[in-house]
Amino acid sequence: MTDPFTAPSRPNRRLRQRLDRLATGVIAASGIGVVVAVLAIGVYLTLAVLPLFDDAEVDVDVAPSAADGAMHAVWLADDGTRWLTRDGQLRDAGGEVATLTTGTTIAAVAESGDRQPLALGLSNGEVRLVPRDDQGRLRWAQASTMRLFEARGVAALTLRHAAQGWVLAGRDTRGDVAALWHTGEATRRIVVPETAEHIALGHAGRLAMTQGTQLTLWQLSSDGVGTALARTETQAPVTALSFLQGGRTLIVGDAQGGLRRWRLSPEATGWQVAETSYSALGDAAIRRLIALPRQRLWLALDDSGRLGLYQSLSGRRWQGQIPVKTLPTAVSTNAQGTQVMWLDATGTLQRLAIEAPHAAVSPATLWMPQTYEGHSDAQWRWAAAATGDEEPQYSLVPLAWGTLKAAAWAMVFAVPLALGAAVHSACYMSRRQRARLKPAIELMEALPGVVIGFVAGLFVAPFVERHLAGTLALFVCVPLGSVACGWLWRMLSRRWGLRLSPISAGVGLMVPLALLCWAALSLSPWLEAWWFGGDLRAWMHQQWGWDYAQRNALIVGMAMGLAIIPTLYSLAEEALSGVPRPLAEGSLALGATRAQTLWRVQLPAAAPGILSAVMIGAGRAVGETMIVLMVTGNTPLMSPSLFEGLRSLAANLAIELPEAAVGGTHYRLLLLGALLLFVFTFVVNTLAEMVRWRLKQRYRRYGGDA
């Protein structure tokens, strides 16, 4: 009899070897490519985030000034090519342009933005206002003159825009203070019955004045009335005063080099809280505070020539020395706040290039509570997309809190159901029933998150709002009812248990549970009227201070829990099914019941796999976007309440990234949130996979199939 096996020819064997090597190389390259792609994402996000924490830089460029013949200039254009002298000559690099005043000198200048006029304080007590066109260009030929003081000349001016007009305040050579409020229809003059050494005008007509160590806040109004709001004593005589962008934060410099911040109250009550101190440049007196138009930045200059760049929340970002230790006679900043030019008393023009695009970001502003404008206490807040004069709030804590809160409630909802189903199908069901049930549950994972979020937001959330008491009753009645039904089934005679198939028993269990749900929803209005005065939401607000939002953490917990149940179930069921059969059979052979075998043998053996399933489910919940986006209301709150909204890092990324300017602070902060999600999910999934690998090694030692 001939051997049916025929040895392959040498060419065929070589071809198969080549194909095997090719397949091995393709598979290895694909795996390496996936790892490289994941690492490349992490590297890209890291490189995009690192500029947030770069040090600020201020470069001083000293150049010969075109204003050599006009060292007494009092105003510079934002590009330094045009200046205004004290004798009223408007000049540029090509020569004299125009004469604005005759017989008087210009003693003070004030401006407040691209669309606001330029104010010139004259030595005869008048103020000349130069309007701007729609592009922000000054119209010198259309200048108008108004009377601010009757007898003495203007010594200092400050200007701030107001609703449908502007507010201007000035101090004369004796220290008397007066203001003009222009509303577009009329201009009213306001006399402040106090003298001052320094003045600064803030938001909504708030006027700060200092005399020695006394700091006073006045409220000016468009009807020509001034009211004193608050008075306080500073630690040292005040030598410089300036409001930052928005006019709600006042910076005070004193004779000992101290720098402090005061915030205005949103109501007409004066100062909000006690001042905040900053790191001093030295012990010399602060002589000049230059507020920059972006990011709540300012420059501080002291008598010894030390210069510092500060940010309202993050503090000092840079300190250096100016080459010429003389106070500037004229200062100008560009609209972006990246360049400052000043002309000193020697006729030297200094250009300061400020590189601080992300000065408002620091580890403290991201993770520590801050006292923001309009708030009286330190708190975590996220409002990075603030516009206009609003202060941006860059704390990531509310977003991290919302992410963990949503994931935690989703796990609370999903873990009992998924693990219960996994235990039942792996330890109590027959192989045939398990083969039917497991694919049906795993098929739930194919449901898109946007569909789950749509159903939860449009149907579940309004239903829970209408039946809040009944919904909460269900979370108590259904678990207790399930235990009661199981106990009753156990108490039935063994004959009934043998007659009914497991499927029939399961269907029979659903009937009393459905009746229990119906009873809980039907009786909830009576229970709400009896125990909570007819309104559960009002009772919670009165007793615990909890507000109720229709889209809240309860809804997102149910919706996102439904989405991660298939993942938890599949992994936990595999861990339980992979427990070697000899372990369970040996326990039963020794006389243990099935429940004892489950608790003492199977669950401890599968515990690493179950823990891995929970970790992977938590990683999935943390990274979920669409469900959280559609169900939570997207309010970045730090509330522990189950009935209030939240905002997660993933949802915030989806909402704000399309509107963020590429390369800006807001854009890079969003990528920082993406990096945090990446690191969290990467670490959690890696640990879960390590746990699963160790579980497989343990099963192999026991002779399992895993």
Side-chain angles (χ1 to χ4, degrees):
M1 184 174 180
T2 59
D3 188 358
F5 175 76
T6 303
S9 62
R10 187 180 298 274
N12 290 338
R13 185 167 61 250
R14 290 179 177 175
L15 178 61
R16 286 199 299 270
Q17 290 175 351
R18 291 174 181 174
L19 292 176
D20 288 344
R21 286 195 294 268
L22 177 62
T24 302
V26 170
I27 294 174
S30 300
I32 294 174
V34 171
V35 174
V36 170
V38 172
L39 293 179
I41 294 174
V43 171
Y44 168 77
L45 292 175
T46 302
L47 294 178
V49 166
L50 284 178
L52 284 173
F53 305 100
D54 288 344
D55 294 332
E57 293 291 337
V58 179
D59 296 327
V60 182
D61 177 24
V62 180
S65 173
D68 274 340
M71 291 186 295
H72 53 302
V74 293
W75 176 82
L76 288 168
D78 59 3
D79 57 359
T81 60
R82 182 175 294 185
W83 63 94
L84 186 64
T85 65
R86 293 188 182 276
D87 55 3
Q89 302 296 318
L90 180 64
R91 304 185 183 185
D92 60 16
E96 182 176 309
V97 176
T99 300
L100 299 181
T101 62
T102 56
T104 59
T105 59
I106 300 175
V109 178
E111 53 185 336
S112 179
D114 295 340
R115 299 295 183 266
Q116 298 302 316
L118 176 69
L120 310 176
L122 306 181
S123 59
N124 61 358
E126 295 179 341
V127 175
R128 178 153 296 185
L129 296 164
V130 184
R132 299 178 187 264
D133 59 14
D134 294 338
Q135 285 74 38
R137 294 172 297 190
L138 290 166
R139 296 299 186 185
W140 299 96
Q142 300 176 11
S144 59
T145 303
M146 298 183 182
R147 173 64 61 178
L148 184 61
F149 296 106
E150 296 295 338
R152 283 167 290 276
V154 179
L157 274 183
T158 176
L159 179 68
R160 180 73 59 175
H161 66 85
Q164 301 179 350
W166 46 261
V167 185
L168 181 145
R171 176 180 58 85
D172 66 11
T173 54
R174 197 179 65 176
D176 293 336
V177 179
L180 298 174
W181 192 302
H182 180 74
T183 59
E185 300 177 355
T187 302
R188 295 182 179 273
R189 183 171 178 269
I190 306 170
V191 177
V192 179
E194 289 186 7
T195 59
E197 296 176 349
H198 304 278
I199 60 172
L201 192 59
H203 173 72
R206 304 285 181 89
L207 177 64
M209 301 167 43
T210 64
Q211 185 72 42
T213 60
Q214 186 179 65
L215 178 62
T216 308
L217 182 68
W218 284 78
Q219 174 65 66
L220 308 180
S221 61
S222 58
D223 57 2
V225 177
T227 305
L229 297 180
R231 300 179 190 275
T232 188
E233 290 290 331
T234 59
Q235 297 179 4
V238 177
T239 55
L241 205 63
S242 179
F243 273 101
L244 299 184
Q245 176 195 6
R248 294 178 175 86
T249 296
L250 178 69
I251 304 300
V252 180
D254 60 38
Q256 298 177 356
L259 287 167
R260 291 173 175 81
R261 174 186 65 162
W262 292 80
R263 292 174 304 279
L264 297 184
S265 172
E267 299 83 16
T269 56
W271 308 115
Q272 195 168 59
V273 294
E275 77 273 19
T276 302
S277 300
Y278 297 97
S279 299
L281 297 173
D283 54 3
I286 302 296
R287 290 302 177 188
R288 193 68 182 258
L289 295 174
I290 305 171
L292 301 179
R294 299 291 175 88
Q295 297 193 75
R296 302 304 196 271
L297 284 168
W298 79 90
L299 289 168
L301 176 65
D302 67 7
D303 275 340
S304 62
R306 284 186 289 257
L307 184 67
L309 178 67
Y310 290 82
Q311 204 277 335
S312 177
L313 294 176
S314 58
R316 189 175 65 194
R317 306 310 304 264
W318 177 88
Q319 181 174 345
Q321 195 83 18
I322 60 174
V324 182
K325 300 178 181 179
T326 57
L327 294 177
T329 60
V331 177
S332 179
T333 62
N334 62 352
Q336 292 74 31
T338 58
Q339 191 176 41
V340 177
M341 287 152 291
W342 69 41
L343 188 68
D344 61 29
T346 65
T348 303
L349 182 65
Q350 302 187 36
R351 300 175 184 268
L352 279 65
I354 300 174
E355 292 292 335
H358 314 297
V361 177
S362 69
T365 59
L366 292 179
W367 302 110
M368 298 299 293
Q370 303 291 327
T371 306
Y372 299 101
E373 294 176 354
H375 301 275
S376 58
D377 54 349
Q379 52 190 289
W380 294 281
R381 298 183 66 86
W382 171 267
T387 58
D389 291 335
E390 298 177 1
E391 182 180 30
Q393 299 160 1
Y394 290 143
S395 178
L396 292 178
V397 175
L399 305 181
W401 172 266
T403 302
L404 298 178
K405 180 180 177 180
W409 284 113
M411 298 300 290
V412 168
F413 182 81
V415 167
L417 296 178
L419 295 188
V423 168
H424 185 71
S425 61
C427 303
Y428 290 92
M429 277 188 173
S430 65
R431 189 178 299 272
R432 182 179 178 184
Q433 292 172 346
R434 176 189 170 198
R436 293 177 179 178
L437 178 66
K438 185 177 179 181
I441 296 180
E442 291 178 342
L443 190 62
M444 293 170 53
E445 198 165 5
L447 288 174
V450 64
V451 175
I452 298 176
F454 175 81
V455 174
L458 267 66
F459 297 99
V460 178
F463 177 83
V464 172
E465 184 181 23
R466 293 192 303 268
H467 305 88
L468 180 59
T471 303
L472 297 179
L474 289 178
F475 288 108
V476 177
C477 295
V478 171
L480 295 179
S482 301
V483 173
C485 290
W487 180 79
L488 290 176
W489 176 255
R490 182 183 179 89
M491 296 301 295
L492 291 176
S493 64
R494 189 174 183 84
R495 181 177 58 184
W496 282 95
L498 294 176
R499 286 182 179 181
L500 295 177
S501 65
I503 297 296
S504 301
V507 173
L509 178 63
M510 294 174 61
V511 174
L513 289 180
L515 293 175
L516 190 62
C517 293
W518 173 83
L521 292 175
S522 300
L523 296 177
S524 62
W526 302 91
L527 297 177
E528 188 173 8
W530 183 21
W531 286 344
F532 307 109
D535 193 341
L536 176 58
R537 287 179 293 174
W539 183 86
M540 288 191 303
H541 181 75
Q542 181 180 2
Q543 296 293 325
W544 299 329
W546 289 359
D547 294 324
Y548 184 88
Q550 187 185 79
R551 301 183 180 186
N552 50 48
L554 174 64
I555 307 300
V556 75
M558 292 190 293
M560 199 156 63
L562 180 66
I564 64 177
I565 278 176
T567 301
L568 282 171
Y569 166 80
S570 179
L571 296 175
E573 200 275 342
E574 289 179 2
L576 288 165
S577 299
V579 174
R581 294 181 62 86
L583 293 179
E585 292 173 352
S587 174
L588 294 173
L590 292 174
T593 63
R594 296 181 66 181
Q596 291 173 333
T597 300
L598 173 65
W599 286 103
R600 302 292 181 86
V601 178
Q602 291 174 299
L603 285 179
I610 295 175
L611 177 62
S612 173
V614 172
M615 293 172 64
I616 292 177
R620 163 75 192 280
V622 166
E624 178 60 45
T625 303
M626 291 308 299
I627 295 177
V628 182
L629 187 66
M630 302 178 69
V631 177
T632 61
N634 297 302
T635 51
L637 302 176
M638 285 288 295
S639 171
S641 173
L642 180 62
F643 306 107
E644 293 185 356
L646 53 90
R647 179 181 288 193
S648 69
L649 287 166
N652 186 68
L653 193 68
I655 293 171
E656 298 187 3
L657 188 60
E659 300 178 358
V662 177
T665 301
H666 185 198
Y667 176 83
R668 296 188 186 277
L669 283 173
L670 293 176
L671 294 186
L672 176 59
L675 180 61
L676 294 176
L677 288 176
F678 175 84
V679 171
F680 181 86
T681 54
F682 182 83
V683 171
V684 168
N685 290 338
T686 301
L687 292 177
E689 189 59 32
M690 292 174 60
V691 170
R692 294 182 65 191
W693 180 81
R694 295 191 63 180
L695 177 65
K696 289 182 179 181
Q697 298 300 317
R698 177 187 298 181
Y699 286 168
R700 288 194 180 100
R701 290 199 301 269
Y702 288 118
D705 299 330

